[in-house]
Coordinates of all heavy atoms in Angstrom, one line a residue:
M1 N -32.4 -62.2 4.7 CA -31.4 -61.7 5.6 C -30.1 -61.3 4.8 O -29.6 -62.1 4.0 CB -31.1 -62.8 6.6 CG -30.3 -62.3 7.8 SD -30.3 -63.6 9.0 CE -30.3 -62.7 10.5
K2 N -29.6 -60.2 5.1 CA -28.4 -59.7 4.4 C -27.2 -60.3 5.0 O -27.0 -60.4 6.2 CB -28.4 -58.2 4.7 CG -27.5 -57.4 3.8 CD -27.7 -55.9 4.0 CE -26.7 -55.1 3.2 NZ -26.8 -53.7 3.5
P3 N -26.2 -60.8 4.1 CA -25.0 -61.4 4.6 C -24.1 -60.4 5.3 O -24.0 -59.2 4.8 CB -24.4 -62.0 3.3 CG -25.0 -61.3 2.2 CD -26.3 -60.8 2.6
K4 N -23.4 -60.8 6.3 CA -22.5 -59.9 7.0 C -21.3 -59.7 6.2 O -20.7 -60.6 5.7 CB -22.2 -60.6 8.4 CG -21.4 -59.7 9.3 CD -21.3 -60.5 10.6 CE -20.6 -59.6 11.6 NZ -20.4 -60.3 12.9
S5 N -20.9 -58.5 6.1 CA -19.7 -58.1 5.4 C -18.4 -58.6 6.0 O -18.3 -58.5 7.3 CB -19.6 -56.6 5.2 OG -18.3 -56.2 4.7
E6 N -17.5 -59.2 5.3 CA -16.3 -59.7 5.8 C -15.4 -58.6 6.3 O -14.5 -58.8 7.2 CB -15.6 -60.6 4.8 CG -16.4 -61.9 4.5 CD -15.7 -62.8 3.5 OE1 -14.5 -62.6 3.3 OE2 -16.4 -63.6 2.9
A7 N -15.5 -57.5 5.7 CA -14.6 -56.4 6.0 C -15.0 -55.6 7.3 O -14.2 -54.9 7.9 CB -14.5 -55.4 4.8
T8 N -16.2 -55.8 7.7 CA -16.7 -55.1 8.9 C -16.5 -55.9 10.1 O -17.0 -57.0 10.2 CB -18.2 -54.8 8.7 OG1 -18.4 -54.1 7.5 CG2 -18.8 -54.0 9.9
P9 N -15.7 -55.4 11.1 CA -15.5 -56.1 12.3 C -16.7 -56.2 13.1 O -17.6 -55.3 13.0 CB -14.4 -55.3 13.0 CG -14.5 -54.0 12.5 CD -15.0 -54.1 11.1
P10 N -16.9 -57.3 13.9 CA -18.0 -57.3 14.8 C -18.0 -56.2 15.8 O -16.9 -55.7 16.2 CB -17.9 -58.7 15.5 CG -16.4 -59.0 15.4 CD -15.9 -58.3 14.1
P11 N -19.2 -55.7 16.3 CA -19.2 -54.6 17.2 C -18.5 -55.1 18.5 O -18.7 -56.2 19.0 CB -20.7 -54.3 17.5 CG -21.4 -55.4 16.8 CD -20.5 -56.2 15.9
A12 N -17.7 -54.2 19.1 CA -16.9 -54.5 20.3 C -17.8 -54.3 21.5 O -18.6 -53.4 21.6 CB -15.7 -53.6 20.4
K13 N -17.7 -55.3 22.4 CA -18.4 -55.2 23.7 C -17.6 -54.2 24.6 O -16.4 -54.1 24.4 CB -18.6 -56.5 24.3 CG -19.3 -57.5 23.5 CD -19.3 -58.9 24.1 CE -19.9 -59.9 23.1 NZ -19.5 -61.2 23.4
A14 N -18.3 -53.6 25.5 CA -17.6 -52.7 26.4 C -16.4 -53.4 27.1 O -15.4 -52.8 27.3 CB -18.6 -52.1 27.5
A15 N -16.6 -54.6 27.5 CA -15.5 -55.4 28.2 C -14.3 -55.6 27.2 O -13.2 -55.8 27.7 CB -16.0 -56.7 28.7
D16 N -14.5 -55.6 25.9 CA -13.5 -55.8 24.9 C -12.7 -54.5 24.7 O -11.6 -54.6 24.0 CB -14.0 -56.3 23.6 CG -14.6 -57.7 23.7 OD1 -14.3 -58.4 24.7 OD2 -15.5 -58.0 22.8
L17 N -13.2 -53.4 25.1 CA -12.5 -52.1 24.8 C -11.4 -51.9 25.8 O -11.5 -52.2 26.9 CB -13.5 -51.0 24.8 CG -14.6 -51.0 23.7 CD1 -15.5 -49.9 23.9 CD2 -14.0 -51.0 22.3
P18 N -10.3 -51.3 25.3 CA -9.2 -51.0 26.2 C -9.6 -49.9 27.2 O -10.5 -49.1 27.0 CB -8.1 -50.5 25.2 CG -8.8 -50.2 24.0 CD -10.1 -50.9 23.9
A19 N -8.7 -49.8 28.2 CA -9.0 -48.8 29.3 C -8.7 -47.4 28.9 O -9.3 -46.4 29.4 CB -8.1 -49.1 30.5
S20 N -7.8 -47.2 27.9 CA -7.5 -45.8 27.4 C -6.9 -45.9 26.0 O -6.6 -47.0 25.5 CB -6.4 -45.2 28.4 OG -5.2 -46.0 28.2
Y21 N -6.8 -44.7 25.4 CA -6.2 -44.6 24.1 C -4.8 -45.2 24.1 O -4.4 -45.9 23.2 CB -6.1 -43.1 23.7 CG -5.4 -42.9 22.4 CD1 -6.0 -43.0 21.2 CD2 -4.0 -42.5 22.4 CE1 -5.3 -42.8 20.0 CE2 -3.3 -42.2 21.3 CZ -4.0 -42.4 20.1 OH -3.3 -42.2 18.9
E22 N -4.0 -44.9 25.2 CA -2.6 -45.3 25.3 C -2.6 -46.9 25.4 O -1.7 -47.5 24.8 CB -1.9 -44.7 26.5 CG -1.7 -43.2 26.3 CD -2.9 -42.3 26.5 OE1 -4.0 -42.8 27.0 OE2 -2.9 -41.1 26.2
A23 N -3.5 -47.4 26.1 CA -3.6 -48.9 26.3 C -3.9 -49.5 24.9 O -3.3 -50.6 24.5 CB -4.6 -49.3 27.3
A24 N -4.8 -48.9 24.2 CA -5.2 -49.4 22.8 C -4.0 -49.4 21.9 O -3.7 -50.3 21.2 CB -6.3 -48.6 22.3
L25 N -3.3 -48.3 21.9 CA -2.1 -48.1 21.0 C -1.0 -49.1 21.4 O -0.4 -49.7 20.5 CB -1.6 -46.7 21.2 CG -0.7 -46.2 20.1 CD1 -1.3 -46.3 18.7 CD2 -0.3 -44.7 20.3
E26 N -0.8 -49.3 22.7 CA 0.2 -50.3 23.1 C -0.2 -51.7 22.6 O 0.7 -52.5 22.1 CB 0.3 -50.2 24.6 CG 1.5 -51.1 25.2 CD 1.6 -50.9 26.7 OE1 1.6 -49.7 27.1 OE2 1.7 -51.9 27.4
E27 N -1.4 -52.1 22.8 CA -1.9 -53.4 22.4 C -1.8 -53.5 20.9 O -1.4 -54.6 20.4 CB -3.3 -53.6 22.9 CG -3.8 -55.0 22.6 CD -5.3 -55.3 23.0 OE1 -5.8 -54.5 23.8 OE2 -5.8 -56.3 22.6
L28 N -2.2 -52.5 20.2 CA -2.1 -52.5 18.7 C -0.7 -52.7 18.2 O -0.4 -53.5 17.3 CB -2.7 -51.2 18.1 CG -2.9 -51.1 16.6 CD1 -3.8 -52.3 16.1 CD2 -3.5 -49.8 16.3
E29 N 0.3 -52.0 18.8 CA 1.7 -52.1 18.5 C 2.2 -53.5 18.7 O 2.9 -54.1 17.9 CB 2.5 -51.1 19.2 CG 2.3 -49.7 18.8 CD 3.0 -48.6 19.6 OE1 3.4 -49.0 20.8 OE2 3.1 -47.5 19.2
A30 N 1.7 -54.1 19.8 CA 2.1 -55.5 20.1 C 1.6 -56.5 19.1 O 2.2 -57.4 18.7 CB 1.7 -55.9 21.5
L31 N 0.3 -56.3 18.7 CA -0.3 -57.1 17.7 C 0.4 -57.0 16.4 O 0.7 -58.0 15.7 CB -1.8 -56.7 17.5 CG -2.8 -57.3 18.5 CD1 -4.2 -56.7 18.2 CD2 -2.9 -58.8 18.4
V32 N 0.7 -55.8 16.0 CA 1.4 -55.6 14.7 C 2.8 -56.3 14.7 O 3.2 -57.0 13.8 CB 1.6 -54.1 14.4 CG1 2.5 -53.9 13.2 CG2 0.2 -53.5 14.1
A33 N 3.5 -56.2 15.8 CA 4.8 -56.8 16.0 C 4.7 -58.3 15.8 O 5.5 -59.0 15.1 CB 5.5 -56.4 17.3
K34 N 3.7 -58.9 16.5 CA 3.4 -60.4 16.4 C 3.1 -60.8 14.9 O 3.7 -61.8 14.4 CB 2.2 -60.8 17.2 CG 2.6 -61.1 18.6 CD 1.3 -61.7 19.3 CE 1.4 -61.7 20.8 NZ 0.1 -62.2 21.4
M35 N 2.3 -60.0 14.3 CA 1.9 -60.3 12.9 C 3.1 -60.2 12.0 O 3.2 -61.0 11.0 CB 0.7 -59.5 12.5 CG -0.6 -59.8 13.2 SD -1.9 -58.7 12.8 CE -2.4 -59.3 11.2
E36 N 3.9 -59.2 12.2 CA 5.1 -59.0 11.3 C 6.1 -60.1 11.4 O 6.9 -60.3 10.4 CB 5.7 -57.7 11.6 CG 4.9 -56.5 11.1 CD 5.5 -55.2 11.4 OE1 6.4 -55.1 12.3 OE2 5.2 -54.2 10.7
T37 N 6.1 -60.9 12.5 CA 7.1 -62.0 12.6 C 6.7 -63.1 11.6 O 7.6 -63.8 11.1 CB 7.1 -62.6 14.0 OG1 5.8 -63.3 14.2 CG2 7.4 -61.6 15.0
G38 N 5.4 -63.2 11.2 CA 5.0 -64.3 10.3 C 4.9 -65.6 10.9 O 4.8 -66.6 10.2
N39 N 5.0 -65.7 12.2 CA 5.0 -67.0 13.0 C 3.6 -67.3 13.4 O 3.4 -68.4 14.0 CB 5.9 -66.9 14.2 CG 7.4 -66.8 13.7 OD1 7.8 -67.2 12.6 ND2 8.2 -66.2 14.6
L40 N 2.6 -66.5 13.2 CA 1.3 -66.8 13.7 C 0.6 -67.8 12.7 O 0.8 -67.6 11.5 CB 0.4 -65.6 13.8 CG 0.8 -64.6 14.9 CD1 -0.1 -63.4 14.8 CD2 0.6 -65.2 16.3
Q41 N -0.2 -68.7 13.2 CA -0.9 -69.6 12.3 C -2.1 -68.7 11.7 O -2.4 -67.7 12.2 CB -1.5 -70.8 13.1 CG -0.3 -71.7 13.5 CD -0.8 -72.9 14.2 OE1 -2.1 -73.1 14.3 NE2 0.1 -73.8 14.6
L42 N -2.7 -69.3 10.7 CA -3.7 -68.5 10.0 C -4.9 -68.1 10.9 O -5.2 -66.9 10.9 CB -4.3 -69.4 8.8 CG -5.4 -68.8 8.0 CD1 -4.8 -67.5 7.3 CD2 -5.9 -69.7 7.0
E43 N -5.4 -68.9 11.7 CA -6.5 -68.6 12.6 C -6.1 -67.5 13.6 O -6.8 -66.5 13.9 CB -7.0 -69.8 13.4 CG -8.3 -69.6 14.1 CD -9.5 -69.3 13.3 OE1 -9.5 -69.7 12.1 OE2 -10.4 -68.5 13.7
A44 N -4.9 -67.6 14.1 CA -4.4 -66.6 15.1 C -4.1 -65.3 14.4 O -4.4 -64.2 14.9 CB -3.1 -67.1 15.7
S45 N -3.7 -65.3 13.1 CA -3.5 -64.1 12.3 C -4.8 -63.4 12.1 O -4.9 -62.2 12.2 CB -2.9 -64.4 11.0 OG -1.5 -64.8 11.2
L46 N -5.9 -64.2 11.8 CA -7.2 -63.6 11.6 C -7.7 -62.9 12.8 O -8.3 -61.8 12.8 CB -8.2 -64.7 11.1 CG -9.6 -64.2 10.8 CD1 -9.6 -63.1 9.7 CD2 -10.4 -65.4 10.4
K47 N -7.6 -63.6 14.0 CA -8.0 -63.1 15.3 C -7.3 -61.8 15.6 O -7.8 -60.8 16.1 CB -7.9 -64.1 16.4 CG -8.9 -65.2 16.2 CD -9.2 -65.9 17.5 CE -10.2 -67.0 17.4 NZ -11.5 -66.6 17.0
A48 N -6.0 -61.8 15.3 CA -5.1 -60.6 15.6 C -5.6 -59.4 14.7 O -5.7 -58.3 15.2 CB -3.7 -60.9 15.4
Y49 N -5.9 -59.7 13.5 CA -6.4 -58.7 12.5 C -7.7 -58.1 13.0 O -7.9 -56.9 13.0 CB -6.5 -59.3 11.1 CG -6.9 -58.3 10.1 CD1 -6.0 -57.4 9.5 CD2 -8.3 -58.2 9.8 CE1 -6.4 -56.4 8.6 CE2 -8.7 -57.2 8.8 CZ -7.8 -56.4 8.3 OH -8.2 -55.4 7.4
E50 N -8.6 -59.0 13.4 CA -9.9 -58.6 13.9 C -9.8 -57.7 15.1 O -10.4 -56.6 15.2 CB -10.8 -59.8 14.2 CG -11.3 -60.5 13.0 CD -12.0 -61.8 13.3 OE1 -12.0 -62.2 14.5 OE2 -12.6 -62.4 12.4
R51 N -8.9 -58.1 16.0 CA -8.7 -57.3 17.2 C -8.1 -56.0 16.9 O -8.4 -54.9 17.4 CB -7.8 -58.1 18.2 CG -7.5 -57.3 19.5 CD -8.7 -57.0 20.3 NE -8.4 -56.3 21.5 CZ -9.2 -55.6 22.3 NH1 -10.5 -55.6 21.9 NH2 -8.8 -55.0 23.4
G52 N -7.2 -56.0 15.9 CA -6.5 -54.7 15.4 C -7.6 -53.8 14.9 O -7.5 -52.6 15.1
T53 N -8.5 -54.3 14.1 CA -9.6 -53.4 13.6 C -10.4 -52.7 14.7 O -10.8 -51.6 14.6 CB -10.5 -54.1 12.6 OG1 -11.1 -55.2 13.2 CG2 -9.7 -54.6 11.4
V54 N -10.7 -53.5 15.7 CA -11.4 -52.9 16.9 C -10.6 -51.8 17.5 O -11.1 -50.8 17.9 CB -11.8 -54.1 17.9 CG1 -12.3 -53.5 19.2 CG2 -12.8 -55.0 17.3
L55 N -9.3 -52.1 17.7 CA -8.4 -51.1 18.4 C -8.2 -49.9 17.5 O -8.3 -48.8 18.1 CB -7.1 -51.8 18.7 CG -7.1 -52.9 19.7 CD1 -5.7 -53.6 19.7 CD2 -7.4 -52.4 21.1
V56 N -8.1 -50.0 16.2 CA -7.9 -48.9 15.4 C -9.2 -48.0 15.4 O -9.2 -46.8 15.5 CB -7.6 -49.3 13.9 CG1 -7.8 -48.1 12.9 CG2 -6.2 -49.8 13.8
S57 N -10.4 -48.7 15.3 CA -11.6 -47.9 15.4 C -11.8 -47.2 16.7 O -12.2 -46.0 16.8 CB -12.8 -48.9 15.2 OG -14.0 -48.3 15.4
Y58 N -11.4 -47.8 17.8 CA -11.4 -47.2 19.1 C -10.5 -46.0 19.2 O -11.0 -44.9 19.6 CB -11.0 -48.2 20.2 CG -10.9 -47.6 21.6 CD1 -12.0 -47.5 22.4 CD2 -9.7 -47.2 22.1 CE1 -11.9 -46.9 23.7 CE2 -9.5 -46.6 23.3 CZ -10.6 -46.5 24.1 OH -10.5 -45.9 25.4
C59 N -9.3 -46.1 18.7 CA -8.4 -45.0 18.7 C -8.9 -43.8 17.8 O -8.8 -42.7 18.2 CB -7.0 -45.4 18.2 SG -6.1 -46.5 19.3
Q60 N -9.4 -44.1 16.6 CA -10.0 -43.1 15.8 C -11.1 -42.3 16.5 O -11.2 -41.1 16.4 CB -10.5 -43.7 14.5 CG -9.4 -44.1 13.5 CD -9.9 -44.9 12.3 OE1 -11.0 -45.5 12.3 NE2 -9.2 -44.8 11.2
K61 N -12.0 -43.1 17.2 CA -13.1 -42.4 17.9 C -12.6 -41.6 19.0 O -13.1 -40.5 19.2 CB -14.1 -43.5 18.4 CG -14.9 -44.1 17.3 CD -15.8 -45.2 17.8 CE -16.5 -45.8 16.6 NZ -17.3 -47.0 17.0
Q62 N -11.6 -42.0 19.7 CA -11.0 -41.2 20.8 C -10.4 -40.0 20.3 O -10.6 -38.9 20.8 CB -10.0 -42.1 21.6 CG -10.5 -43.2 22.3 CD -11.5 -42.8 23.4 OE1 -11.3 -41.8 24.1 NE2 -12.6 -43.5 23.5
L63 N -9.7 -40.1 19.2 CA -9.0 -38.9 18.6 C -10.1 -37.9 18.0 O -9.9 -36.7 18.2 CB -8.1 -39.3 17.4 CG -6.8 -40.0 17.9 CD1 -6.1 -40.5 16.7 CD2 -6.0 -39.1 18.7
E64 N -11.2 -38.4 17.4 CA -12.2 -37.5 17.0 C -12.9 -36.8 18.2 O -13.2 -35.6 18.1 CB -13.3 -38.3 16.2 CG -12.8 -38.8 14.9 CD -13.8 -39.8 14.2 OE1 -14.8 -40.1 14.8 OE2 -13.4 -40.3 13.1
H65 N -13.1 -37.5 19.3 CA -13.7 -36.9 20.4 C -12.8 -35.8 21.0 O -13.3 -34.7 21.3 CB -13.9 -38.0 21.5 CG -14.5 -37.4 22.8 ND1 -15.8 -37.0 22.9 CD2 -13.9 -37.3 24.0 CE1 -16.0 -36.6 24.1 NE2 -14.9 -36.7 24.8
V66 N -11.5 -36.0 21.1 CA -10.6 -35.0 21.6 C -10.5 -33.8 20.6 O -10.5 -32.7 21.0 CB -9.2 -35.6 21.8 CG1 -8.1 -34.6 22.1 CG2 -9.2 -36.6 23.0
E67 N -10.5 -34.1 19.3 CA -10.5 -33.0 18.3 C -11.7 -32.1 18.5 O -11.6 -30.9 18.4 CB -10.4 -33.6 16.9 CG -10.2 -32.6 15.9 CD -10.1 -33.2 14.5 OE1 -11.1 -33.6 13.9 OE2 -8.9 -33.2 14.0
Q68 N -12.8 -32.7 18.7 CA -14.1 -32.0 18.9 C -14.0 -31.1 20.2 O -14.4 -30.0 20.2 CB -15.3 -32.9 19.0 CG -16.6 -32.2 19.2 CD -16.9 -31.3 18.1 OE1 -16.6 -31.5 16.9 NE2 -17.6 -30.2 18.3
Q69 N -13.4 -31.7 21.2 CA -13.2 -30.9 22.5 C -12.3 -29.7 22.2 O -12.5 -28.6 22.7 CB -12.6 -31.7 23.6 CG -13.6 -32.7 24.1 CD -13.0 -33.6 25.2 OE1 -11.8 -34.0 25.1 NE2 -13.8 -34.0 26.2
V70 N -11.2 -29.9 21.4 CA -10.3 -28.8 21.1 C -11.0 -27.7 20.3 O -10.8 -26.5 20.5 CB -9.1 -29.3 20.4 CG1 -8.2 -28.2 19.9 CG2 -8.2 -30.2 21.3
R71 N -11.8 -28.2 19.4 CA -12.6 -27.2 18.5 C -13.5 -26.3 19.4 O -13.6 -25.1 19.2 CB -13.5 -27.9 17.5 CG -12.8 -28.4 16.3 CD -13.7 -29.0 15.3 NE -13.0 -29.5 14.2 CZ -13.1 -30.7 13.7 NH1 -13.9 -31.6 14.3 NH2 -12.4 -31.1 12.7
I72 N -14.1 -26.9 20.4 CA -15.0 -26.2 21.3 C -14.2 -25.2 22.1 O -14.5 -24.0 22.3 CB -15.8 -27.2 22.2 CG1 -16.8 -27.9 21.4 CG2 -16.5 -26.4 23.3 CD1 -17.5 -29.1 22.1
L73 N -13.1 -25.7 22.7 CA -12.2 -24.8 23.5 C -11.6 -23.7 22.7 O -11.5 -22.6 23.2 CB -11.1 -25.7 24.1 CG -11.5 -26.7 25.2 CD1 -10.4 -27.5 25.6 CD2 -12.1 -25.9 26.4
E74 N -11.2 -23.9 21.5 CA -10.6 -22.9 20.6 C -11.7 -21.9 20.1 O -11.4 -20.8 19.7 CB -9.9 -23.6 19.4 CG -8.6 -24.3 19.8 CD -7.6 -23.3 20.3 OE1 -7.3 -22.3 19.6 OE2 -6.9 -23.6 21.3
G75 N -12.9 -22.4 20.0 CA -14.0 -21.5 19.5 C -13.8 -21.1 18.1 O -14.1 -20.0 17.6
G76 N -13.2 -22.0 17.3 CA -12.9 -21.8 15.9 C -14.2 -21.6 15.1 O -15.3 -22.0 15.5
E77 N -14.1 -21.0 13.9 CA -15.2 -20.8 13.1 C -15.7 -22.1 12.6 O -15.0 -23.0 12.2 CB -14.8 -20.0 11.8 CG -14.4 -18.5 12.2 CD -13.9 -17.8 10.9 OE1 -14.2 -18.3 9.8 OE2 -13.3 -16.8 11.1
E78 N -17.0 -22.3 12.7 CA -17.7 -23.5 12.3 C -17.1 -24.7 12.8 O -17.0 -25.8 12.1 CB -17.8 -23.5 10.7 CG -18.6 -22.4 10.2 CD -18.6 -22.4 8.6 OE1 -18.2 -23.4 8.0 OE2 -18.9 -21.4 8.1
G79 N -16.5 -24.7 14.0 CA -15.8 -25.8 14.6 C -14.5 -26.2 14.0 O -14.0 -27.3 14.3
S80 N -13.9 -25.4 13.1 CA -12.6 -25.8 12.5 C -11.5 -25.4 13.5 O -11.6 -24.4 14.2 CB -12.5 -25.1 11.2 OG -12.4 -23.7 11.3
L81 N -10.4 -26.1 13.4 CA -9.3 -25.8 14.2 C -8.5 -24.7 13.6 O -8.3 -24.6 12.4 CB -8.4 -27.1 14.4 CG -9.0 -28.2 15.1 CD1 -8.1 -29.5 15.0 CD2 -9.2 -27.9 16.6
K82 N -7.9 -23.9 14.4 CA -7.0 -22.8 14.0 C -5.6 -23.4 13.9 O -5.2 -24.1 14.8 CB -7.0 -21.6 14.9 CG -8.4 -20.9 15.0 CD -8.3 -19.7 15.8 CE -8.1 -20.1 17.3 NZ -8.1 -18.9 18.2
P83 N -4.8 -23.0 12.9 CA -3.4 -23.5 12.9 C -2.7 -22.9 14.2 O -2.9 -21.8 14.6 CB -2.8 -22.9 11.6 CG -4.0 -22.4 10.9 CD -5.1 -22.2 11.8
W84 N -1.9 -23.8 14.8 CA -1.1 -23.4 15.9 C 0.2 -22.9 15.5 O 0.9 -23.3 14.6 CB -0.9 -24.6 16.9 CG -0.2 -24.3 18.1 CD1 -0.7 -23.7 19.2 CD2 1.2 -24.4 18.3 NE1 0.3 -23.5 20.1 CE2 1.5 -23.9 19.6 CE3 2.3 -24.9 17.6 CZ2 2.8 -24.0 20.2 CZ3 3.6 -24.9 18.1 CH2 3.8 -24.5 19.4
S85 N 0.7 -21.9 16.2 CA 2.0 -21.3 16.0 C 2.7 -21.0 17.3 O 2.0 -20.5 18.2 CB 1.8 -20.0 15.2 OG 3.1 -19.3 15.1
A86 N 3.9 -21.2 17.4 CA 4.7 -20.9 18.6 C 4.6 -19.4 18.9 O 4.7 -19.0 20.0 CB 6.1 -21.4 18.5
Q87 N 4.5 -18.6 17.9 CA 4.5 -17.2 18.0 C 3.2 -16.8 18.7 O 3.1 -15.8 19.5 CB 4.6 -16.5 16.7 CG 6.0 -16.6 16.1 CD 6.0 -16.0 14.7 OE1 5.0 -15.7 14.1 NE2 7.2 -15.8 14.2
D88 N 2.1 -17.5 18.5 CA 0.8 -17.2 19.2 C 1.0 -17.3 20.7 O 0.5 -16.6 21.5 CB -0.3 -18.2 18.7 CG -0.7 -18.0 17.3 OD1 -0.4 -16.9 16.7 OD2 -1.3 -18.9 16.7
T89 N 1.8 -18.3 21.1 CA 2.0 -18.6 22.5 C 2.8 -17.4 23.1 O 2.5 -16.9 24.2 CB 2.7 -19.9 22.8 OG1 2.0 -20.9 22.1 CG2 2.9 -20.2 24.2
V90 N 3.9 -17.0 22.4 CA 4.7 -15.9 22.8 C 3.9 -14.6 22.9 O 4.0 -13.8 23.9 CB 5.9 -15.7 21.9 CG1 6.7 -14.5 22.3 CG2 6.8 -17.0 22.0
A91 N 3.1 -14.4 21.9 CA 2.3 -13.1 21.9 C 1.3 -13.1 23.1 O 1.0 -12.0 23.5 CB 1.5 -13.0 20.6
D92 N 0.8 -14.3 23.5 CA -0.2 -14.3 24.6 C 0.5 -14.1 25.9 O -0.2 -13.7 26.9 CB -0.9 -15.7 24.6 CG -1.8 -15.9 23.4 OD1 -2.2 -14.9 22.8 OD2 -2.1 -17.0 23.1
A93 N 1.8 -14.3 26.0 CA 2.5 -14.2 27.3 C 2.7 -12.8 27.7 O 2.6 -11.8 27.1 CB 3.8 -15.0 27.3

């Protein structure tokens, strides 16, 4: 049996996931603030770090999903995003 990597967080259960990207970001910011105080005991710091990795992963996946939706809407070549310019908006008006 292969040993579990210490760097890999355990898979998050659906109940452990935040309700939204904004909720995840808010929770992550609160965790970072707690950890930066240096007042957490070792076990609490480890649990906060583990939760933080779950939240970061969730946020990354949400951003990737939104980026893919934008690519589809923009109809960019090979799914790439086109650079945005304020002049493009003015020209369309």
